[in-house]
Amino acid sequence: MSARRADSGGIAVIGLGRFGCHLAGSLTRMNREVLAIDRSPEKVQRWSAQLDRVVQADATEEGALRQLGISSFGRAVVAIGASVEASVLTVLALVELGVPQIWARATSEKHAKILASVGAHHVIFPEAETGDRVAHLIVSRLLDFIEFDDDFAIATVRVPESLAGRTLLDLRPEERYGVRVVGAKLPGERFRYASDGTALPQGGVLIVEGGIDQVQRFAGLR
């Protein structure tokens, strides 16, 4: 899968229930190109005034998604909650169309296992995830993300390849990127508190804190 392709194109949000609408609204406020899809004409009409692009379609049908140009989208979120069958069939259709990043809502652990087995790359539980938080995870390379009210976030991110091996003293991320690295870990090991002498591990994961925009920009470094 091409990370560059996943980062490009719009984001399709399929299913305009409470979670899907909240997510689509959050992504729109982040100036992302969003295509919202639902099979219900009432829901499409209700949300067409609040979202830029809302269409009525049966997302379980691969042909319908193909006509909408979904294969050119970098990411799709299956937010369908009322029907397990519809959510699974929609994920299968997206897989067939080659969408590089597929996020899917699960209503139970069993549902989550099915979604993962048929090709969903990320499975989310709306009862534990807010639309704003999921929106930040979808549009960035953040592995996890906690947002606070005063434009402050703590996140886990993969070590950018261009920074691997450099120490925090040499890198000075607070001055250069506006974030503070508070922890680091190698694959298979536990997180350790970071100090000036900490070298960013190749293939490792960091815990960083700072302003939301700064954290996202740091996570996007190559």
Side-chain angles (χ1 to χ4, degrees):
M1 180 190 304
S2 169
R4 183 166 297 178
R5 187 188 161 202
D7 289 342
S8 65
I11 303 169
V13 177
I14 302 170
L16 292 177
R18 180 180 302 176
F19 176 72
C21 290
H22 189 177
L23 175 62
S26 296
L27 291 168
T28 299
R29 289 191 295 273
M30 296 167 69
N31 296 318
R32 299 289 170 163
E33 177 192 352
V34 177
L35 172 63
I37 304 169
D38 199 284
R39 67 192 307 172
S40 165
E42 291 81 11
K43 288 183 178 179
V44 169
Q45 183 176 9
R46 183 188 313 162
W47 293 105
S48 60
Q50 301 183 41
L51 300 172
D52 291 337
R53 297 178 63 198
V54 187
V55 299
Q56 180 188 354
D58 183 354
T60 66
E61 296 290 338
E62 181 183 335
L65 294 179
R66 190 184 303 276
Q67 286 187 339
L68 292 173
I70 296 299
S71 57
S72 67
F73 280 59
R75 287 154 288 195
V77 185
V78 181
I80 299 170
S83 170
V84 171
E85 179 183 7
S87 71
V88 172
L89 290 176
T90 300
V91 169
L92 281 170
L94 293 169
V95 170
E96 289 299 315
L97 291 172
V99 176
Q101 283 290 333
I102 302 170
W103 297 65
R105 170 188 180 175
T107 55
S108 67
E109 290 292 342
K110 186 175 182 180
H111 186 192
K113 290 181 180 179
I114 296 172
L115 291 170
S117 69
V118 298
H121 304 105
H122 307 275
V123 177
I124 51 182
F125 290 86
E127 292 75 12
E129 310 273 9
T130 67
D132 286 338
R133 180 174 181 275
V134 173
H136 280 292
L137 293 174
I138 289 172
V139 303
S140 70
R141 295 185 174 189
L142 300 172
L143 301 177
D144 204 354
F145 177 88
I146 301 174
E147 178 182 351
F148 297 89
D149 291 336
D150 53 350
D151 188 35
F152 183 81
I154 297 176
T156 53
V157 304
R158 298 196 188 281
V159 175
E161 292 184 8
S162 61
L163 306 183
R166 301 181 63 180
T167 67
L168 293 179
L169 180 61
D170 171 53
L171 189 61
R172 300 185 184 278
E174 291 183 65
E175 297 177 13
R176 186 171 300 179
Y177 303 108
V179 301
R180 180 185 178 203
V181 178
V182 297
K185 72 182 290 292
L186 288 167
E189 295 186 2
R190 299 178 64 181
F191 273 104
R192 300 176 183 274
Y193 285 111
S195 64
D196 286 347
T198 297
L200 305 190
Q202 179 78 38
V205 175
L206 306 175
I207 299 176
V208 301
E209 63 181 22
I212 294 171
D213 290 342
Q214 286 76 18
V215 168
Q216 288 190 326
R217 280 197 292 269
F218 183 80
L221 294 174
R222 301 285 181 173

